[in-house]
Amino acid sequence: MGNVDINLSFGPFDQALSDHNKFPALYQMARKETSMATAMAPHSVCSISCVPGFRNAPQEGKAACCFDCTPCSENEMFNGTDMEQCVKCPDHQYVNTKRNQCLLRAASFLAYGEPLSMALACMALGLSTLTTAVLGVFVKHHNTPIVKANNPALSYILLISLIFCSLCSLLFIGRPNTVNCILQQTTFGVAFTVAVSAVLAKTVTVVLAIKVTSPGTRMRRLLVSGAPNFIIPICTLIQVTLCGIWLGTSPPFIDTDTYSEHGHLILLCNKGSLTAFYCVLGYLGSLVLASYAVAFLARNLPDTFNEAKFLTFSMLVFCSVWLTFLPVYHSAKGKVMVAVETFSILACSAGLLGCILYPKCYIILIRPDRNCPYGFKDKRDRSRNKYCYD
């Protein structure tokens, strides 16, 4: 379309010309020129209107009608034009790519249908089944020297606690609820406290059994009275008290994470009080360090069934797993954080089972000729080794 020049002149007004019936041609021309003038009317702003998803940002030092179009901020939208403020989407919604509409977030959690969750669940069930099988082997061969050494009751307690340690990892998988959030941390803390305190009791039993040489001594009376067995209930009672204080002051609860994954509302369990959580972990860590220290001192003591070396290595593995877990746990987000914690629980359970109890199962099932009090010292005496297992 070419340029249209509209000339408007102002002068005296004749009342006779106001009758459009007498002068139809004049009014038709006026209507035509008026419509053309309206179509070509100039804008009163110096910028183009912003499209939806953008807001007006006034240009500094210029007139109010001059502005730049700035995209809305993260999780903000605007579906109109020429406005200076965007609208923030609610937490359960997220903005689309054009930033002109809020969409509903999809709930996300470590569900059983996901490959990672299925792998962790299979590991938990497999480890608990293996631990149950080891417990069956120990019960079946409870009269053999290697099971009777170092207090078999402690071995049974350790195995049962490891079964619960493996199964408690299943509480971290699935849609979070209030009961799961509470049981996750308390079950984990108490179960591992029983397991580690059983290791500590076994270590103390090893030291007392090897150090005691003469009857009537104080250490011998401690060993005969079963004093090491009280380590487990005392240590567990302290941990239960810490967990009770935790639940009474600031218990875990269901929380949401809207930042880790775009377009997803991640459901997870909030620890509640981080101070209480680290108190539980710290107390568990102190038991581990105590067990490691005692086992390390007793690792070279002479005895046929001295398992102090295995106890030392198991505590070393336990510490290594949790020292690796803490920085990875704090750097992870969303479902990955939950998966890291679950894997750490399973790794610690497997470490305790493999380092302490696998060597005994190997001797019971594969090398029964060594399952006797003198099996290590007198390997050349095959006639005695042949009948000591029976």
Side-chain angles (χ1 to χ4, degrees):
M1 179 183 292
N3 294 331
V4 179
D5 295 328
I6 302 174
N7 297 320
L8 301 176
S9 60
F10 298 89
F13 175 71
D14 189 351
Q15 184 68 29
L17 296 178
S18 63
D19 189 354
H20 65 278
N21 292 324
K22 294 181 179 181
F23 305 96
L26 178 61
Y27 278 88
Q28 289 178 2
M29 182 179 65
R31 282 195 296 268
K32 181 178 180 181
E33 292 178 351
T34 303
S35 63
M36 294 175 64
T38 303
M40 299 301 297
H43 294 282
S44 63
V45 295
C46 62
S47 302
I48 302 175
S49 297
C50 298
V51 298
F54 292 79
R55 65 178 180 86
N56 296 354
Q59 296 179 357
E60 187 176 355
K62 294 187 179 181
C65 60
C66 298
F67 51 83
D68 295 323
C69 293
T70 304
C72 292
S73 302
E74 184 70 23
N75 207 37
E76 290 185 348
M77 56 78 67
F78 185 71
N79 56 6
T81 57
D82 296 338
M83 296 295 292
E84 295 184 0
Q85 296 294 332
C86 296
V87 179
K88 186 176 179 61
C89 294
D91 289 339
H92 65 280
Q93 295 180 348
Y94 71 100
V95 68
N96 61 352
T97 55
K98 295 182 179 180
R99 298 183 186 276
N100 61 358
Q101 186 180 4
C102 290
L103 304 177
L104 190 65
R105 294 178 183 270
S108 178
F109 50 89
L110 200 62
Y112 279 100
E114 298 180 3
L116 179 60
S117 303
M118 294 178 64
L120 292 173
C122 290
M123 290 174 59
L125 294 176
L127 187 59
S128 60
T129 302
L130 180 61
T131 308
T132 304
V134 173
L135 178 61
V137 171
F138 272 59
V139 172
K140 182 179 179 180
H141 301 87
H142 64 280
N143 286 325
T144 60
I146 196 169
V147 176
K148 294 168 66 176
N150 308 128
N151 199 329
L154 295 178
S155 298
Y156 300 152
I157 295 174
L158 176 59
L159 285 166
I160 294 173
S161 63
L162 288 179
I163 294 175
F164 282 99
C165 289
S166 302
L167 293 178
C168 79
S169 62
L170 297 176
L171 295 172
F172 293 83
I173 306 174
R175 189 182 186 92
N177 56 61
T178 304
V179 176
N180 272 5
C181 290
I182 294 176
L183 290 179
Q184 280 180 6
Q185 306 304 329
T186 54
T187 306
F188 150 73
V190 173
F192 268 103
T193 299
V194 174
V196 175
S197 58
V199 174
L200 178 60
K202 288 173 70 67
T203 308
V204 173
T205 301
V206 170
V207 174
L208 292 178
I210 296 175
K211 287 289 187 179
V212 172
T213 55
S214 57
T217 61
R218 183 178 180 182
M219 296 181 65
R220 185 177 181 84
R221 287 195 298 269
L222 289 175
L223 181 62
V224 173
S225 63
N229 295 338
F230 292 99
I231 294 177
I232 298 176
I234 293 174
C235 294
T236 304
L237 181 61
I238 296 174
Q239 186 70 288
V240 170
T241 303
L242 291 176
C243 291
I245 296 173
W246 182 6
L247 297 181
T249 55
S250 181
F253 58 91
I254 302 175
D255 200 2
T256 57
D257 180 6
T258 59
Y259 303 100
S260 299
E261 294 184 19
H262 179 71
H264 290 83
L265 183 68
I266 300 178
L267 304 178
L268 45 81
C269 291
N270 191 304
K271 300 281 188 301
S273 173
L274 286 178
T275 302
F277 172 69
Y278 285 114
C279 284
V280 171
L281 279 185
Y283 176 70
L284 184 59
S286 64
L287 291 180
V288 172
L289 292 178
S291 301
Y292 176 79
V294 176
F296 183 80
L297 295 176
R299 71 191 189 282
N300 293 324
L301 294 177
D303 188 71
T304 300
F305 295 120
N306 182 10
E307 58 178 353
K309 292 183 179 179
F310 301 126
L311 296 173
T312 304
F313 189 67
S314 69
M315 292 296 98
L316 187 61
V317 171
F318 195 99
C319 291
S320 301
V321 170
W322 284 104
L323 288 177
T324 306
F325 156 77
L326 289 176
V328 176
Y329 178 80
H330 285 289
S331 62
K333 295 181 179 180
K335 295 187 293 185
V336 178
M337 181 176 62
V338 181
V340 168
E341 187 172 2
T342 305
F343 181 79
S344 300
I345 293 174
L346 295 175
C348 288
S349 302
L352 292 176
L353 178 66
C355 295
I356 300 176
L357 302 169
Y358 171 76
K360 293 187 176 184
C361 289
Y362 173 78
I363 293 176
I364 293 173
L365 301 176
I366 308 299
R367 295 294 303 274
D369 58 302
R370 302 181 65 181
N371 193 7
C372 53
Y374 40 82
F376 292 100
K377 300 177 182 178
D378 193 9
K379 297 180 181 178
R380 293 174 296 178
D381 193 350
R382 300 298 180 186
S383 60
R384 296 177 68 190
N385 287 344
K386 180 179 179 181
Y387 300 105
C388 68
Y389 182 65
D390 298 330

